[in-house]
Amino acid sequence: MTTSRGRAVTALLYTGAALTAGAALFPFVDRAVLAGHVSAGYPSYAPGEIDAAVSAYLIILGAVGLLGLAGWLGTVWAVRAGKRWVPWLAGGLLVSAILVAVAALTIKDTSGDVGLAPLLGWLLVLPCVPGAAAVALWRKAR
């Protein structure tokens, strides 16, 4: 991989990490998105039940965000270390991220509505864009 292409890939990886961090932090900053979604899907829920559901979602989304961030930073490390297998790692992580994003956007809960607030599902898609661009640059370099 050329030096300029390597810098572009690294920049894309850091962009993906930043988008992942933002997507993971957003529900913690604006809990109302989750609370509104849960209360719309389950109008009979008491405030304590809504808070419990929001807390469960925050734990899940926080874990997904931390795993995603670890994947980005691990990939950056592998690029900087010159590991030859890094395109395979990035491709596998991209497929995993796409599957998580599709699941977040499509899986319905028992209310019949999508389980995760659509805004949060689309935020999970954002980091896939620089990931796909980085993988495309690696494929082009081959």
Side-chain angles (χ1 to χ4, degrees):
M1 185 175 307
T2 65
T3 306
S4 63
R5 186 168 288 156
R7 280 193 297 268
V9 166
T10 302
L12 287 167
L13 296 176
Y14 279 122
T15 301
L19 289 172
T20 298
L25 290 174
F26 182 82
F28 289 92
V29 172
D30 190 1
R31 291 175 58 113
V33 171
L34 279 171
H37 184 72
V38 171
S39 66
Y42 298 94
S44 63
Y45 270 21
E49 292 171 307
I50 292 172
D51 285 342
V54 168
S55 294
Y57 270 121
L58 290 176
I59 290 168
I60 293 166
L61 292 171
V64 167
L66 285 174
L67 288 171
L69 199 53
W72 287 110
L73 297 178
T75 305
V76 168
W77 169 83
V79 167
R80 289 183 166 212
K83 303 297 183 184
R84 296 182 62 115
W85 43 261
V86 73
W88 292 100
L89 171 67
L93 290 171
L94 175 61
V95 168
S96 299
I98 290 170
L99 291 174
V100 168
V102 167
L105 288 168
T106 60
I107 292 180
K108 297 186 184 306
D109 66 9
T110 57
S111 73
D113 197 6
V114 177
L116 185 62
L119 170 62
L120 301 178
W122 284 108
L123 284 176
L124 294 176
V125 173
L126 284 179
C128 296
V129 175
V135 170
L137 278 176
W138 273 309
R139 288 192 53 84
K140 191 175 181 182
R142 288 178 154 198

